[in-house]
Amino acid sequence: MNNPFNPSFGRIPAVFLHRGQLIDDVVNEINNPNSPYKISIVYGMRGVGKTTFLTEVGKRVEKNPDWIVVDLAMGSNLMAALVDSLYMKAGNELQKIFESIKGLNFSAFGLQLSAEISQPTFSTYQGILTNMFDKLRKKGIKVLITLDEVKSNRELKDFAGYYQLLNRKDYPVALMMTGLPENISELQNEDVMTFLLRGKRIALSALNLAQIEVSYNNVFKQSGFQVTEDILSKMALMTMGYSYAFQLLGYLVWNSAKKNKIIDQNLLDKIKPEYLVELDQNAYTKIFSSLSKQDKKFVLAMAQSSEQRVSIKEIRERLNRPSNFVANYRRRLLDDQIIKSTNYGEVAFTLPFFKEYVLQQHRFEQGL
Ligand SMILES: Nc1ncnc2c1ncn2[C@@H]1O[C@H](COP(=O)(O)OP(=O)(O)O)[C@@H](O)[C@H]1O
Ligand SMILES: [Mg+2]
């Protein structure tokens, strides 16, 4: 049997864990035309499962024949891509209707504009789209636009302006975006884009540890691996509920145990170095480099504690800064989901072995 775990980004994995009712609730909300979820933003650090979540919601919404789901990606002309994807996703009957729009020509290669409008501008696309959305509305078809990894740029600004217009005129078009916390907060600086921020925020939290344990148990036992309960809980703890870590650990354990079919402490010790290297290379390096200088100092002060749960008092003393300064950085890092609050006046890292990563990074910098 092939390894069922898949530690690559942006794909719905074969071993998929549900976050309670979250997907059901969100899908129901999207179906309700007056829901605040008409615009929503899924946010969280790299690897928490934003793209996977967005894809899963899209798949579920699409099951309803009254809906068309179009997936847009940043880095292309969003308006043109929207025209194209709407056409591609529409059924035969609708495609015919779209083809009747003047000046438009669709082919197997996508949209082609007729000669008179060979230099399409923003308003060209705006006209075409509004025409298409009118036709969709008449047919009772609703649209969900998904937009993965938003970033504040010209392209998004234009798109946001147009989407705002659609929304004001009550077209049944929902928008679900994902973004890294730092990119989402940048949207605040641009007038048009603050409109997007009025949407519902969906924070993806850690996967449930008990669920992870049960899932590892099922997958490994069903495939004839020997593993004790004790080892299964250790594995769950090693992931701390981080989605990427869940896939990665499962993947490494499977590969390393597939011959002997025995998963024990020895095996966990053996794969741990590789586990850490992959976490660092594929996630932590990017996450850490997005932090500001002060964030990094806070995080280092935390990592230098002998405790896993660190009191704010201890961090303040180590940084030797006033409490409002420390409180401000604590808030920022909580928002970015780098740390979590464990008790009153106490914080801990969210990601597994992040403390070790920060200390190692510090040693390297000291060595330079
Ligand atoms: N609900 C889930 N259950 C199990 N694995 C998941 C889940 N969500 C995401 N993953 C896994 O976590 C990794 C990161 O997911 P991805 O959606 O690419 O994260 P992001 O877009 O937040 O960076 C992938 O390997 C994916 O398969
Ligand atoms: Mg992603």
Side-chain angles (χ1 to χ4, degrees):
M1 193 191 159
N2 285 334
N3 195 330
F5 295 98
N6 185 352
S8 58
F9 289 82
R11 260 192 241 138
I12 296 186
V15 190
F16 178 81
L17 304 185
H18 287 278
R19 293 171 199 269
Q21 283 290 306
L22 188 59
I23 290 197
D24 288 343
D25 291 349
V26 169
V27 171
N28 282 337
E29 286 286 348
I30 290 177
N31 268 299
N32 165 8
N34 298 318
S35 166
Y37 282 85
K38 191 172 180 192
I39 307 178
S40 49
I41 309 177
V42 183
Y43 72 99
M45 280 178 298
R46 181 175 170 77
V48 295
K50 300 179 295 300
T51 306
T52 306
F53 184 84
L54 187 70
T55 315
E56 181 67 19
V57 168
K59 269 176 55 182
R60 295 275 295 274
V61 170
E62 217 164 28
K63 285 198 178 138
N64 183 337
D66 293 344
W67 281 86
I68 289 182
V69 178
V70 293
D71 303 314
L72 300 184
M74 298 291 295
S76 58
N77 179 339
L78 289 173
M79 300 288 279
L82 183 54
V83 176
D84 240 18
S85 316
L86 276 175
Y87 178 79
M88 301 306 255
K89 286 282 184 94
N92 273 341
E93 189 195 349
L94 262 169
Q95 287 191 334
K96 291 243 158 60
I97 298 177
F98 288 154
E99 281 157 13
S100 72
I101 298 175
K102 202 173 154 283
L104 273 187
N105 224 326
F106 292 98
S107 70
F109 306 105
L111 167 74
Q112 256 130 44
L113 300 172
S114 71
E116 309 101 83
I117 39 177
S118 56
Q119 293 274 301
T121 61
F122 182 74
S123 64
T124 316
Y125 288 118
Q126 188 166 326
I128 296 170
L129 279 171
T130 305
N131 214 324
M132 291 174 91
F133 282 121
D134 276 332
K135 300 202 156 39
L136 287 165
R137 181 155 67 178
K138 259 191 215 134
K139 286 263 154 209
I141 302 286
K142 293 167 269 186
V143 177
L144 169 66
I145 301 173
T146 76
L147 187 51
D148 201 14
E149 291 241 354
V150 291
K151 283 188 188 82
S152 169
N153 62 15
R154 177 82 229 175
E155 186 196 325
L156 184 68
K157 202 171 155 180
D158 287 347
F159 176 78
Y162 178 64
Y163 183 73
Q164 188 170 13
L165 203 90
L166 279 180
N167 207 51
R168 211 182 300 136
K169 294 193 178 154
D170 261 343
Y171 283 90
V173 183
L175 174 66
M176 185 176 242
M177 297 166 283
T178 76
L180 300 169
E182 68 264 23
N183 291 337
I184 299 284
S185 50
E186 268 176 17
L187 301 182
Q188 277 158 8
N189 309 329
E190 292 268 7
D191 261 1
V192 194
M193 300 209 254
T194 53
F195 167 75
L196 300 179
L197 295 177
R198 276 184 241 151
K200 201 79 186 164
R201 309 265 181 119
I202 303 171
L204 287 189
S205 47
L207 298 171
N208 180 289
L209 287 191
Q211 205 184 352
I212 288 189
E213 203 179 310
V214 169
S215 167
Y216 278 151
N217 182 49
N218 292 345
V219 172
F220 285 113
K221 292 242 175 92
Q222 273 165 19
S223 304
F225 289 78
Q226 279 177 44
V227 56
T228 63
E229 253 167 50
D230 186 38
I231 292 293
L232 287 166
S233 18
K234 277 195 178 145
M235 287 172 63
L237 281 173
M238 276 174 84
T239 71
M240 281 177 76
Y242 181 40
S243 296
Y244 170 64
F246 166 68
Q247 295 292 334
L248 178 65
L249 186 68
Y251 183 82
L252 294 175
V253 165
W254 180 287
N255 278 356
S256 160
K258 72 180 168 207
K259 250 201 197 138
N260 295 332
K261 295 274 172 116
I262 295 169
I263 305 169
D264 56 10
Q265 188 60 47
N266 259 339
L267 186 109
L268 293 186
D269 293 341
K270 200 181 104 200
I271 59 146
K272 192 172 162 194
E274 192 178 350
Y275 180 57
L276 298 187
V277 167
E278 298 282 334
L279 283 173
D280 293 2
Q281 278 183 350
N282 301 321
Y284 296 175
T285 305
K286 288 200 175 104
I287 291 170
F288 191 69
S289 68
S290 73
L291 298 179
S292 76
K293 214 169 155 188
Q294 284 304 335
D295 288 334
K296 285 181 186 164
K297 283 190 182 158
F298 185 110
V299 161
L300 178 64
M302 235 179 108
Q304 284 169 335
S305 170
S306 54
E307 308 287 335
Q308 293 293 333
R309 299 165 160 216
V310 192
S311 76
I312 294 295
K313 182 166 168 281
E314 182 183 345
I315 298 171
R316 190 170 60 230
E317 283 166 4
R318 194 163 285 129
L319 289 173
N320 196 17
R321 289 293 198 141
S323 40
N324 59 348
F325 179 92
V326 175
N328 181 30
Y329 282 93
R330 171 182 166 276
R331 170 97 328 261
R332 281 169 54 108
L333 290 161
L334 281 171
D335 281 348
D336 286 358
Q337 300 169 350
I338 305 282
I339 63 174
K340 59 189 176 190
S341 167
T342 44
N343 242 326
Y344 183 75
E346 194 188 81
V347 288
F349 286 118
T350 321
L351 299 168
F353 303 102
F354 197 67
K355 175 189 169 103
E356 287 74 6
Y357 173 80
V358 172
L359 290 174
Q360 185 193 48
Q361 213 50 33
H362 181 63
R363 280 196 304 274
F364 288 155
E365 275 166 25
Q366 294 289 300
L368 291 178

